[in-house]
Amino acid sequence: MSDWIEACAADDINNEDVIRFDHSGRNFAIYRSPEDNYYATDGLCTHEKINLCDGLVMDHIIECPKHNGRFDYTTGKAKGAPCVVNLKTYPTKVENGKVFIMIS
């Protein structure tokens, strides 16, 4: 079963930034793109399970703070070594100033 879960207020995330969201023992990363769209991925790097929310966001890329591996957060695709396993992504929506993600 999939549920829409309120993750944060839309204004909690600066433009071109990321925040951490924990739910039911899982870690997620919520992003706000330069175009003011919202995205969600698993919160841990697929290389060494480091929190991505501490990484650098530029354009549509999140860079892991430990080994500088990169992912396209809009698709989850691994874009730079040492990351070769893609991130899982989650649908998002904004309603009444709140960001929701669909967790399955």
Side-chain angles (χ1 to χ4, degrees):
M1 180 176 162
S2 297
D3 292 314
W4 286 103
I5 305 296
E6 183 180 328
C8 62
D11 290 342
D12 286 348
I13 310 172
N14 292 328
N15 200 340
E16 224 173 349
D17 206 357
V18 59
I19 64 168
R20 178 177 173 161
F21 172 64
D22 295 321
H23 180 74
S24 295
R26 294 171 63 189
N27 179 279
F28 302 91
I30 313 294
Y31 309 85
R32 185 173 180 178
S33 75
E35 300 82 21
D36 210 28
N37 296 315
Y38 294 83
Y39 297 88
T41 68
D42 279 334
L44 300 177
C45 179
T46 59
H47 175 240
E48 284 200 9
K49 306 299 182 211
I50 301 301
N51 279 309
L52 291 172
C53 66
D54 296 328
L56 177 66
V57 177
M58 291 181 62
D59 296 318
H60 299 112
I61 301 294
I62 177 71
E63 184 177 87
C64 178
K66 185 160 186 180
H67 292 119
N68 302 352
R70 294 174 303 285
F71 301 91
D72 180 330
Y73 63 78
T74 67
T75 64
K77 184 170 174 61
K79 301 291 273 185
C83 301
V84 294
V85 176
N86 296 339
L87 283 172
K88 183 171 181 181
T89 61
Y90 302 89
T92 62
K93 68 179 179 179
V94 178
E95 289 182 352
N96 300 319
K98 304 284 185 184
V99 179
F100 294 81
I101 68 172
M102 183 179 282
I103 300 173
S104 52

